[in-house]
Amino acid sequence: MNFIIEQDKLSQLLDAASLAIPTRPTDPILGAILLVADAETQTLSATSFNLSLGIHSKTKANIKISGVAALPGKLLADTIGYLKGELCFELEERTCIISHSSGKRRIQSFNPSEFPQLPTGGDRSITLPVKKFLAAIRATLFATSKDETRPVITGVNFKFERDRWQAGATDSHRLALVSAAFDADMAENIEFTVSYKNLQEIEKILSTKSENSTCTLYFNSNFVEFNLPNTRITSRLLEGEFPKLDSLIPTSFQHEFYVDKAALETGLKRVATLAEKKSKTVKTIWDVNNQQLTLYTESTDVGNAIESLIIKANSTSNEQLGIGFNLTYLAEAVKYVTTDEIVIKSNGASRPAIVCPVGGILNQLTLVMPVLISSGYEIDKPANTNTTPASNPAEVAQTQSSKNVESPEVTETVAQIESEPSSETSETAQTTKAKRNRQSKPKAAVTV
Amino acid sequence: MNFIIEQDKLSQLLDAASLAIPTRPTDPILGAILLVADAETQTLSATSFNLSLGIHSKTKANIKISGVAALPGKLLADTIGYLKGELCFELEERTCIISHSSGKRRIQSFNPSEFPQLPTGGDRSITLPVKKFLAAIRATLFATSKDETRPVITGVNFKFERDRWQAGATDSHRLALVSAAFDADMAENIEFTVSYKNLQEIEKILSTKSENSTCTLYFNSNFVEFNLPNTRITSRLLEGEFPKLDSLIPTSFQHEFYVDKAALETGLKRVATLAEKKSKTVKTIWDVNNQQLTLYTESTDVGNAIESLIIKANSTSNEQLGIGFNLTYLAEAVKYVTTDEIVIKSNGASRPAIVCPVGGILNQLTLVMPVLISSGYEIDKPANTNTTPASNPAEVAQTQSSKNVESPEVTETVAQIESEPSSETSETAQTTKAKRNRQSKPKAAVTV
């Protein structure tokens, strides 16, 4: 093996391959990057494979003598990362000698024949635009479960039908689903699930490719292969049947609230500092008459926060609607929408809500289960003689001095929701202590 | 209490005060920031004190009613950090109500009378330019010990004499010392030691102040007070006698090597990836005849790295000099020099070397103890039939193809140092295994 290559071209190749290198490889060879230099095609390739994810990238190089070396991957990528200019690689038996303008490295190669064969994805193929495929991964990845006891839902499920394809994920408290039209000559529907761990790395590689390029997927029952310009990624598939997500999405909604994405994101961040640390609940109060959304959080013995935003509401009733959410789940559903405007659809305080972009390149939604807000926060509050009653939201609203929150409607909204008897009366029977200590998971899980 | 203030002005105040807020306060009041609004002077101050470090900052604000509140510090700083524009603060009994254009917060105040009194530094004072004081902290902080069993050396020691002042730190493997001329009317010499934990935060505050401003220090036997524009910092002093560092610095040197700082920094980073992971040793070969420095690292069974740099050498002899260093210690000594050129001074392979700036606003040096390189790396190497003998540096040099390292002198240097019998013959009696496993701490510690 003998070749010359520019440092930046090689670094790109090695950075991609490094994504499939485990931190602590079970076998040293799985920590290696396989370099293959081909004098005939003047091509250098770098391959890594941790038995679940495989990455194979190639680039043009000045190859004088063909050859193969399996070098310690992270070490090689780090070493090359610090160099500059033209690099010369030579192989002497199992020693790779790398020379550059002011120095030289010798790195021992593993036995390249021990490097595991990268599986191929099979014969069946589908082609997608990189732009849409990348958007689909980003719109679903965050909603995957991180609980390894039920492996299949730690992945994103992909489905391809004759006229549409979709990607979906759920951690049983929320679900994310995207779909797009499709025109493929397929003999049968195709479905597979890829783990979030592999998709995280695949997302990184996709984001380095031109948005106008395409990705061709080949798959069999165990592996899927993603073919990109100069890069081929192979991922093992997760076994098991993925829950049917489509049936969980309500088909019609009583309320649709349009809101500016950036304003809602900022509003949620602002009230988050005063949400109860463990439960992280936010109360959202949708005021159809005044076209206003109020966000309310409260932390026992510490204080509370209230923020108001302008909305555009389409609703079957003019009543104010109060819905409790896990703040993190709602904030993530908003974060992964890429359009300027968002629509939140609901059928009431105890029914799942969905967060969708207005426009965008995919049909996208995140379903978030509401959290019980019962008949208000202060019912849970123990008598505390050391603190003044700071956390009565009605009082907050009454003492408002700043303009936007001054409207009596906000006062009414808050007061009404606080005093409204909860529809979930069983919940209010719980002890104060138990309620304060519990994680505020959605009261009804997505049944998957 | 009732006042109006711009968010950015308040955020600055709170960010500074947050630096003295512990992550887990032993007493909730130590997690508080004390806000004091004074209508007479139209001044708002924020104070934090963890019983070791205290920070008191003030700013002008529109104060309508004077008052005091002790609010949870991190929560307050986070909450205000997300807001924008004009903020209105009101206190109703123990509840602080913060209003802004689109929302409102209520935060419970602790009892402000429980907030601990910030100690003062005493009557004796010294004034230093912020620029030099900040440079002195940065040039010494990295060399402090992190071992709490000997608290006094976890700090930087400051000494003030009639005509000079100095700051010094050591972790017993290296020491950093800076000094500058001084013209003070002092009745007696002054010396105190401030912990690295407090100095880390003090450095952050100093770096927000104008370089042209001054810092006045007041001190007694327990505390030092740093008076800066609009900010007063109080730090507890470390007890115990600090080692006399001055006497450890050699007064004359046989060798002086001038080298470009950036080139040496890059060179060390480049060879670091192939240094033995545990010992992190780098061999430096100083070639006076060819005005060249060669850096060499080796990792058993993995490979080795060699880099060459141009130097300007002043030496009493023309012999090549090989010195082993702990790579991290040498790299840090170089990193914290702020001039473009560096001079490394030495009296031989087994004697302490010092790293100094060429120029700069302070007399600065870092003393680094050399590491035993004995009679070469390959003596330690076990026979390994799986790998080719890649790690013979002489061979590396002989097969050099790139220009800068092609000189036969590099070969000679390496070969010579490799074959030269070590002056530390006892060291070579150690077993191969023990040597490969041991941390490469300097062979002679700084006796402090």
Side-chain angles (χ1 to χ4, degrees), chain A residues 18 51 78 95 122 155 162 182 234 284 298 300 302 320 327 364 444:
Chain A
S18 294
L51 302 183
D78 285 352
T95 306
R162 185 174 284 273
F182 195 45
T234 306
T284 61
E298 183 183 289
T300 312
V302 178
Q320 284 172 348
L327 207 154
Q364 176 185 353

Side-chain angles (χ1 to χ4, degrees), chain A residues 151-416:
Chain A
V152 73
I153 62 165
T154 65
V156 173
N157 178 257
F158 294 89
K159 269 188 195 171
F160 299 90
E161 296 169 8
R162 185 174 284 273
D163 57 349
R164 74 189 275 279
W165 65 275
Q166 73 171 42
T170 181
D171 63 3
S172 80
H173 299 298
R174 52 183 170 168
L175 72 84
L177 197 63
V178 298
S179 63
F182 195 45
D183 184 17
D185 181 20
M186 301 203 315
E188 55 183 314
N189 293 346
I190 283 156
E191 182 177 350
F192 56 83
T193 307
V194 181
S195 74
Y196 78 91
K197 283 183 188 166
N198 287 359
L199 276 175
Q200 277 174 339
E201 311 306 338
I202 293 167
E203 192 268 343
K204 288 176 197 161
I205 295 176
L206 282 170
S207 64
T208 65
K209 302 291 176 188
S210 156
E211 281 204 336
N212 300 322
S213 56
T214 57
C215 178
T216 302
L217 289 69
Y218 294 88
F219 37 82
N220 56 36
S221 52
N222 294 318
F223 278 93
V224 59
E225 191 184 312
F226 303 95
N227 268 269
L228 292 157
N230 293 321
T231 307
R232 183 158 56 86
I233 308 167
T234 306
S235 172
R236 192 178 288 278
L237 300 176
L238 290 179
E239 288 176 17
E241 197 182 347
F242 201 86
K244 303 273 168 272
L245 299 183
D246 314 63
S247 59
L248 301 170
I249 318 294
T251 47
S252 65
F253 293 92
Q254 292 167 33
H255 316 279
E256 288 186 355
F257 306 114
Y258 292 81
V259 57
D260 180 71
K261 181 203 156 164
L264 182 52
E265 237 181 339
T266 304
L268 289 169
K269 272 183 198 155
R270 285 180 172 177
V271 298
T273 58
L274 276 148
E276 204 74 67
K277 264 191 191 167
K278 282 194 177 174
S279 61
K280 276 278 175 208
T281 305
V282 60
K283 192 181 287 190
T284 61
I285 301 129
W286 307 88
D287 183 344
V288 176
N289 276 335
N290 293 287
Q291 302 280 303
Q292 184 173 270
L293 162 63
T294 302
L295 306 173
Y296 178 80
T297 57
E298 183 183 289
S299 182
T300 312
D301 297 346
V302 178
N304 57 34
I306 193 164
E307 278 287 326
S308 296
L309 287 87
I310 297 161
I311 58 169
K312 216 167 62 195
N314 289 340
S315 184
T316 52
S317 87
N318 275 350
E319 277 181 30
Q320 284 172 348
L321 176 65
I323 315 176
F325 287 107
N326 174 304
L327 207 154
T328 309
Y329 291 168
L330 181 59
E332 286 197 344
V334 173
K335 179 182 174 184
Y336 291 101
V337 167
T338 55
T339 57
D340 293 342
E341 200 182 10
I342 275 183
V343 56
I344 294 178
K345 303 179 186 181
S346 167
N347 284 319
S350 60
R351 311 284 292 280
I354 68 169
V355 178
C356 306
V358 176
I361 59 169
L362 294 168
N363 302 318
Q364 176 185 353
L365 69 86
T366 301
L367 182 146
V368 184
M369 294 305 292
V371 175
L372 178 77
I373 46 173
S374 76
S375 48
Y377 284 69
E378 64 280 9
I379 282 177
D380 290 346
K381 183 152 297 165
N384 188 334
T385 51
N386 281 330
T387 55
T388 54
S391 36
N392 183 337
E395 191 194 332
V396 169
Q398 277 155 14
T399 56
Q400 297 286 26
S401 71
S402 52
K403 266 190 177 171
N404 293 6
V405 237
E406 219 169 27
S407 59
E409 288 76 17
V410 174
T411 316
E412 273 173 41
T413 311
V414 179
Q416 185 183 330

Side-chain angles (χ1 to χ4, degrees), chain A residues 95 100 104 106 307 388 399, chain B residues 95 100 104 307 388 390 399:
Chain A
T95 306
H100 73 118
K104 190 165 254 203
R106 288 179 158 256
E307 278 287 326
T388 54
T399 56
Chain B
T95 306
H100 73 118
K104 191 165 251 202
E307 279 286 326
T388 54
T399 54

Side-chain angles (χ1 to χ4, degrees), chain B residues 285 287 289-290 292 320 406-415:
Chain B
I285 300 128
D287 182 345
N289 276 335
N290 292 287
Q292 185 175 270
Q320 285 170 348
E406 219 167 26
S407 58
E409 289 74 18
V410 173
T411 318
E412 274 173 40
T413 308
V414 177

